[in-house]
Amino acid sequence: MSNSSDWPLWEVFIRSKQGLNHKHVGSLRAPDAQLAIENARDVYTRRSEGISIWVVESNNLFASDPQDSDAFFEPSESKVYRHPTFYDVPDGISHM
Amino acid sequence: MKEISLVDLENRFQKKVDSEIRIEPNDWMPEEYRRTLIRQISQHAHSEVVGMLPEGNWITRAPNLRRKAVLLAKVQDEAGHGLYLYSAVETLGADREQTIDDLHSGKAKYSSIFNYPTPTWADMGAIGWLVDGAAIMNQVPLCRCSYGPYARAMVRVCKEESFHQRQGFEIMTVLAQGTPEQKAMAQDALDRFWWPALMMFGPNDDESKHSKQSMKWKIKRFSNDDLRQQFVDVTVPQAKLIGLTIPDPDLKWNEKTGHYEFGEINWDEFWQVVEGNGPCNFDRIKARKDAKEKGMWVRKAASAHAAKRAARKTA
Ligand SMILES: [Fe+2]
Ligand SMILES: [Fe+2]
């Protein structure tokens, strides 16, 4: 173990304040989760950007295939009736 | 899945770029686009890291505690910038450690500005004001670079950079208003860093070999000469305001164009420094190599600590 590349890559997620969700901010290498969190604090929250940190080993992230994204997301493209703007509401109706 | 020809893929890619859709790590991209980004981002990362050295020189000798805390915070930011950029390089499938070894072997370059020495405290002012100032000019358009991870890293970097330039300008302002000796020290730092700062934007447009393709791929948004002009236009009035003189006898305001005209850059000096013959090239690379070797025990200790912690958990 002499290079940082021998350490796993971690994806870093930060909650900027209570009530908001954690958001992906970047990645780093560290030998374990504890050090990944400490390093993430030093690198990604130097200006009070966060109150909570998640780290996930990049190996454990699975992603949809961008090459197939058109077909993959097609089912939702064709269903305009899922949006409120699809419906006619008579004039004079409010609170709907 | 249906077969798509390379030409189709390339056309589709260019269309995405043209319509300002960002390219993400798993998206198809031309090999040359990938190679260009790996080269550019890793050299940018190296510049952030090597860039810590000229300023690190003054951390222990800052004139007071406030200046010391500020300089330390600034240099620490540059380490962070290096990390954001090495992470962006890794999203392209490059091996981070390999890019660092390329720096150590001299194969990969870094910004030539960091090969100049910093013999006086005023140099901390000149670097923040001019070098970070020029870096900001270069980096702001990169926030809209076509490659998502690079653009996002640049957004973080740019947010942090603005204090870097201000603290430098503050140092210069205070010295320029100080004793005659202090003012002379500020002027001397400006004299030494002005031309190297202009060189940071790279060769003239007609000499710049990667520019055209990078513009087409929207990695680059403005040409070297345009950015350099912009830098001169904003910096000259700042120097005037604090009573310092730009060391260029040919510098003059052109009423018609609304820009400053400036003298010829010594490109021979620029290429000498790029080729490794600047005043500090040897020291900079040696410091980086030493850091890797002498820091080895820290990385080993971190690994051993993690292993122990894991063993304790399973026990
Ligand atoms: Fe930086
Ligand atoms: Fe900076």
Side-chain angles (χ1 to χ4, degrees):
Chain A
M1 283 287 168
S2 54
N3 288 331
S4 59
S5 300
D6 301 333
W7 292 339
L9 191 64
W10 302 81
E11 299 300 327
V12 180
F13 301 81
I14 290 186
R15 185 202 294 286
S16 58
K17 64 180 210 202
Q18 208 67 17
L20 297 181
N21 46 6
H22 285 76
K23 207 174 141 198
H24 184 244
V25 294
S27 56
L28 51 78
R29 289 191 177 269
D32 70 0
Q34 175 90 38
L35 276 165
I37 288 172
E38 284 167 22
N39 290 351
R41 176 202 57 193
D42 292 346
V43 192
Y44 291 109
T45 67
R46 283 198 304 282
R47 288 174 176 77
S48 326
E49 291 97 333
I51 54 146
S52 161
I53 298 175
W54 286 351
V55 295
V56 180
E57 228 186 291
S58 310
N59 280 341
N60 292 326
L61 274 182
F62 301 88
S64 60
D65 182 354
Q67 312 275 50
D68 284 343
S69 72
D70 286 352
F72 189 71
F73 293 105
E74 193 282 329
S76 84
E77 286 296 317
S78 56
K79 294 175 182 62
V80 281
Y81 45 85
R82 283 178 173 166
H83 298 276
T85 46
F86 178 75
Y87 300 92
D88 289 328
V89 177
D91 290 344
I93 298 287
S94 52
H95 303 297
M96 189 180 278
Chain B
M1 231 178 71
K2 53 186 185 298
E3 284 294 320
I4 312 168
S5 76
L6 191 62
V7 180
D8 281 347
L9 283 167
E10 273 171 4
N11 288 338
R12 209 183 281 182
F13 171 85
Q14 189 61 48
K15 237 168 120 186
K16 262 168 96 173
V17 169
D18 290 341
S19 44
E20 300 292 338
I21 297 172
R22 294 285 176 270
I23 306 302
E24 294 296 340
N26 293 331
D27 294 346
W28 188 88
M29 63 186 82
E31 263 323 293
E32 194 48 36
Y33 176 81
R34 186 185 300 276
R35 262 200 300 277
T36 300
L37 279 170
I38 291 176
R39 186 183 60 239
Q40 179 171 338
I41 303 174
S42 65
Q43 297 194 0
H44 193 164
H46 301 333
S47 301
E48 299 287 349
V49 171
V50 177
M52 290 191 278
L53 299 170
E55 290 178 300
N57 186 29
W58 278 93
I59 290 175
T60 57
R61 292 178 287 152
N64 60 46
L65 202 54
R66 177 184 183 269
R67 298 279 178 214
K68 183 172 180 160
V70 168
L71 187 59
L72 197 56
K74 196 245 182 209
V75 171
Q76 196 186 6
D77 273 353
E78 306 300 2
H81 298 175
L83 179 97
Y84 308 153
L85 288 160
Y86 285 124
S87 299
V89 171
E90 283 196 285
T91 66
L92 291 157
D95 180 338
R96 172 191 311 216
E97 214 60 36
Q98 183 59 51
T99 68
I100 291 171
D101 290 342
D102 286 347
L103 168 70
H104 295 179
S105 72
K107 195 178 145 202
K109 304 289 179 209
Y110 55 91
S111 183
S112 57
I113 191 82
F114 300 119
N115 292 312
Y116 290 86
T118 48
T120 77
W121 169 252
D123 294 340
M124 300 303 96
I127 287 183
W129 174 33
L130 303 173
V131 176
D132 288 78
I136 292 170
M137 263 241 153
N138 268 326
Q139 287 168 343
V140 167
L142 285 172
C143 296
R144 295 187 296 129
C145 162
S146 59
Y147 187 57
Y150 192 23
R152 290 191 289 274
M154 280 302 110
V155 171
R156 290 190 70 85
V157 165
C158 286
K159 260 188 211 154
E160 301 183 355
E161 286 292 352
S162 57
F163 114 73
H164 297 181
Q165 193 186 18
R166 284 186 184 200
Q167 64 86 34
F169 191 63
E170 190 191 68
I171 292 173
M172 287 305 252
T173 307
V174 169
L175 288 174
Q177 292 164 350
T179 64
E181 287 83 0
Q182 287 171 324
K183 185 168 182 184
M185 191 198 271
Q187 182 63 51
D188 166 66
L190 172 58
D191 291 348
R192 280 180 291 108
F193 276 95
W194 174 254
W195 290 105
L198 294 194
M199 294 175 198
M200 283 176 70
F201 295 94
N204 287 133
D205 294 347
D206 38 341
E207 304 275 313
S208 176
K209 50 181 177 174
H210 305 298
S211 269
K212 230 174 132 202
Q213 182 62 69
S214 285
M215 296 270 247
K216 190 173 174 226
W217 279 332
K218 296 193 194 260
I219 294 172
K220 213 175 151 85
R221 299 266 175 178
F222 298 100
S223 78
N224 295 353
D225 287 331
D226 286 350
L227 289 167
R228 186 165 19 239
Q229 184 67 55
Q230 206 184 328
F231 176 75
V232 172
D233 288 344
V234 304
T235 312
V236 170
Q238 294 169 354
K240 259 188 207 148
L241 198 83
I242 57 172
L244 296 180
T245 311
I246 303 284
D248 178 357
D250 297 325
L251 186 77
K252 60 170 187 280
W253 175 250
N254 184 325
E255 196 70 57
K256 251 197 238 135
T257 58
H259 294 293
Y260 281 96
E261 286 169 11
F262 52 96
E264 186 61 36
I265 289 170
N266 182 349
W267 291 114
D268 187 47
E269 174 183 326
F270 172 76
W271 289 115
Q272 283 291 327
V273 178
V274 169
E275 292 310 318
N277 305 318
C280 300
N281 295 60
F282 177 82
D283 292 342
R284 301 299 184 230
I285 293 301
K286 182 172 183 309
R288 291 312 311 150
K289 283 185 186 162
D290 283 355
K292 182 166 176 172
E293 272 163 41
K294 292 179 185 158
M296 193 89 79
W297 71 270
V298 179
R299 294 191 291 281
K300 280 185 180 157
S303 297
H305 187 60
K308 249 189 214 168
R309 187 152 43 207
R312 217 178 299 137
K313 238 183 201 164
T314 53

